[in-house]
């Protein structure tokens, strides 16, 4: 498994390449957790992922909980390897069909988050 990191319309995009299964979900977690603190939200681009097991789907469901707890808006851009598995998730993951759609979802999520106002 390998990764790329780039910016797209203000969001951090982590591209995941290779295969995602039981053997490497812990590694993926180590790579992604530091990005929970980025400004502009996080997009995980899986378009080039060749294979994703049910364990990989379980990882993303757990990761969604971590993102919510950290108040980090995120979106998943699935590739062909995930479309079938995503039907099993019942629509609970923030899925976008493209990087542009993901950026739009993150913009909308950011506008709904409360902001702290400091009186002077």
């Amino acid at each position: 498994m390998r990764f790329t990191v780039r910016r797209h319309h203000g969001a951090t995009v982590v591209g995941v390449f290779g295969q995602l299964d039981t053997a490497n979900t812990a590694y993926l977690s180590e790579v992604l957790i530091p990005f929970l603190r980025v400004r502009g939200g996080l997009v995980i681009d899986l378009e080039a992922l060749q294979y994703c097991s049910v364990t990989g789907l379980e990882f993303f469901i757990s990761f969604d909980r971590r993102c919510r707890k950290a108040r980090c808006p995120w979106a998943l851009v699935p590739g062909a390897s995930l479309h079938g598995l995503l039907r099993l998730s019942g629509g609970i993951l923030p899925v976008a069909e493209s990087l542009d759609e993901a950026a739009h979802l993150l913009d909308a999520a950011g506008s709904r988050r409360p902001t702290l106002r400091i009186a002077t």
Side-chain angles (χ1 to χ4, degrees), residues 50-70:
Q50 296 168 340
Y51 171 77
C52 183
S53 70
V54 172
T55 303
L57 176 62
E58 290 169 348
F59 167 81
F60 287 115
I61 292 169
S62 174
F63 186 74
D64 181 61
R65 286 190 290 267
R66 284 188 101 148
C67 289
R68 289 174 191 272
K69 186 175 180 180

Side-chain angles (χ1 to χ4, degrees), residues 2 17 20 23 26 30 44 64 71 74 93 105 113-114 117 120:
R2 67 184 182 87
F17 300 81
L20 179 58
E30 288 176 24
I44 302 173
D64 181 61
R71 301 185 72 172
W74 79 291
L93 295 175
L105 289 173
R113 281 190 289 174
R117 296 175 194 250
T120 56

